[in-house]
Amino acid sequence: MSDPVYLDYNATTPVAPEVAEAMLPFLRAQFGNPSSSHIRGLYARAAVRDARQQVAELIGATPEEIVFTGCATEANNLALLGVAAASGEGKRHLVISAVEHPAVMQPALHLRQLGWAVSVVPVDGQGRVAPEAVAAVLRPDTALVSIMHANNEVGTIQPVAEIAALTRPLNILLHTDAAQSAGKIMIDVGALGVDLLTLAGHKFYATKGIGALYVRAGTPIRAITFGADQEWGLRAGTENVPAIVGLGVAARLAWERLPEATVQLQRWRDRLHMRLAAAIPGVTLNGHPDERLPNTLHISFPGVTGRMLLQVASGEVAASLGSACHSEHDTVSGVLAAMGVEAAHAAGAVRLSVGMMTADEDVDRAAAGLIAAWRQLTR
Ligand code: PLP
């Protein structure tokens, strides 16, 4: 029996063969420390420099604006806490959305414990933040607004550029967590108007344990961990050279494959949706119908729980209820709750996310498996 079809690309992606290949020399002969001044160090340093260039190109930044981190969580922590550390006494107000990943939500709560005011902007029924809702909470002491680019559960894409048009004239910094959107849709930090942007390697075919923070030149920010002066003094610690090299190659591949990949992902996503909707009356989409990640299908099945459905279909499909990070609990996802999705509807929700290694046959097999499981449970 073959493995179940993997439809959990929003949790993590496989490593692209080109990425693994490029990393191998740095796990073997080229083990140098980029800070060493001998030949091995120089070789490692050059590899890190090239990767920085590749990551910068993916998002329209300059290499000097890229800080490699251990993961997206760390990049988000550096963005929020690092900006907070650099902001003056009179600027201690932070704005986030109600659907942020815990990697933004938790540092925001930490700042609240330190005496910061934190405003949480609501979303509509499709998971979108209204720019006017952000405008309504901005204050003279607002230091930073952090609104994710695309949601990890329902895939809704936020109007970040419109929000930037509000924050920029007021000299308020804007951060966006693009862990889910990078490599899936085009990102240009100039067009988005953001000052800080988070990337996660393992969401676009690099390895786990590598991320990056884009920091626009001139953005006031301080380190939140302390040590030597790697990464422009913002992230001390010897660089994870193999993972950084892998991230660079993944960024180059994403750059080369977009926008064709976007179209292909959307085709698979919509084929899956069509198959399920044709066979199961009452299947409903969660998230925005159009302003949504091209690979993400978050749907509610009637009369069953998502957990039971995935259990019964587990031989055919490997997917998540929502975010993989908290899918062990039966509580309604915070994202769906913020969208006002009612409890019964939320209980039947499943997140199906396709990726570059998906094939037409996978989509059809997964759809058949889910339909059979639903029929079995509702017989
Ligand atoms: N931000 C978003 C939107 C995510 O989806 C994730 C991971 O699921 C993260 C941050 C955290 O990524 P990591 O666990 O790699 O730090």
Side-chain angles (χ1 to χ4, degrees), residues 10-11 71-74 76 101 103 148 150-152 177 179-180 198 200 202-203 323 325:
N10 284 11
C71 56
T73 299
E74 189 194 327
N76 284 343
H101 189 275
M148 72 197 323
N151 184 261
N152 44 302
D177 176 355
Q180 287 292 345
T198 291
H202 72 107
K203 308 289 187 186
S323 153
C325 312

Side-chain angles (χ1 to χ4, degrees), residues 33-345:
N33 184 328
S35 297
S36 300
S37 51
H38 50 68
I39 185 70
R40 290 208 190 281
L42 295 181
Y43 198 82
R45 200 180 314 162
V48 170
R49 183 197 59 214
D50 292 349
R52 201 183 300 281
Q53 174 77 37
Q54 289 166 322
V55 171
E57 268 170 23
L58 177 66
I59 59 170
T62 65
E64 295 73 25
E65 294 174 316
I66 302 298
V67 179
F68 291 120
T69 63
C71 56
T73 299
E74 189 194 327
N76 284 343
N77 272 263
L78 178 57
L80 270 66
L81 306 181
V83 163
S87 62
E89 262 309 302
K91 287 239 174 194
R92 284 165 71 86
H93 175 230
L94 167 71
V95 178
I96 62 170
S97 86
V99 292
E100 296 301 319
H101 189 275
V104 163
M105 209 64 99
Q106 292 301 323
L109 289 179
H110 178 69
L111 285 175
R112 184 177 272 166
Q113 281 162 359
L114 295 181
W116 276 60
V118 179
S119 298
V120 182
V121 178
V123 294
D124 64 18
Q126 297 176 332
R128 289 260 285 182
V129 169
E132 309 79 64
V134 175
V137 298
L138 296 180
R139 322 189 315 200
D141 64 342
T142 308
L144 176 68
V145 173
S146 179
I147 305 285
M148 72 197 323
H149 192 207
N151 184 261
N152 44 302
E153 294 188 34
V154 294
T156 297
I157 298 171
Q158 301 297 347
V160 173
E162 291 169 52
I163 295 167
L166 299 168
T167 52
R168 180 140 290 198
L170 300 173
N171 284 326
I172 295 168
L173 295 174
L174 179 61
H175 167 248
T176 194
D177 176 355
Q180 287 292 345
S181 53
K184 294 179 188 142
I185 56 175
M186 280 289 189
I187 292 184
D188 183 286
V189 288
L192 280 179
V194 292
D195 301 290
L196 303 121
L197 179 142
T198 291
L199 296 178
H202 72 107
K203 308 289 187 186
F204 66 104
Y205 312 99
T207 54
K208 294 157 193 67
I210 184 70
L213 182 66
Y214 156 77
V215 183
R216 183 186 295 281
T219 301
I221 184 166
R222 288 204 193 136
I224 57 168
T225 53
F226 304 94
D229 62 356
Q230 292 95 346
E231 298 300 305
W232 325 111
L234 283 175
R235 205 275 186 170
T238 302
E239 299 87 340
N240 184 348
V241 179
I244 289 172
V245 167
L247 183 66
V249 173
R252 176 175 59 74
L253 293 174
W255 171 250
E256 287 168 3
R257 291 171 183 174
L258 284 168
E260 276 147 70
T262 304
V263 173
Q264 180 58 34
L265 292 173
Q266 192 164 329
R267 219 173 52 74
W268 283 321
R269 180 196 74 184
D270 293 345
R271 181 183 176 112
L272 184 59
H273 191 186
M274 212 183 59
R275 293 247 182 294
L276 295 171
I280 304 176
V283 152
T284 47
L285 177 71
N286 301 309
H288 199 284
D290 308 314
E291 294 298 324
R292 184 164 45 111
L293 288 174
N295 79 318
T296 305
L297 180 63
H298 194 287
I299 43 174
S300 289
F301 290 80
V304 297
T305 64
R307 181 177 299 283
M308 281 302 290
L309 187 78
L310 289 183
Q311 222 162 52
V312 174
S314 63
E316 298 296 309
V317 186
S320 288
L321 292 179
S323 153
C325 312
H326 35 80
S327 60
E328 286 310 305
H329 314 291
D330 251 336
T331 49
V332 170
S333 121
V335 171
L336 295 185
M339 288 164 57
V341 174
E342 61 174 82
H345 190 86

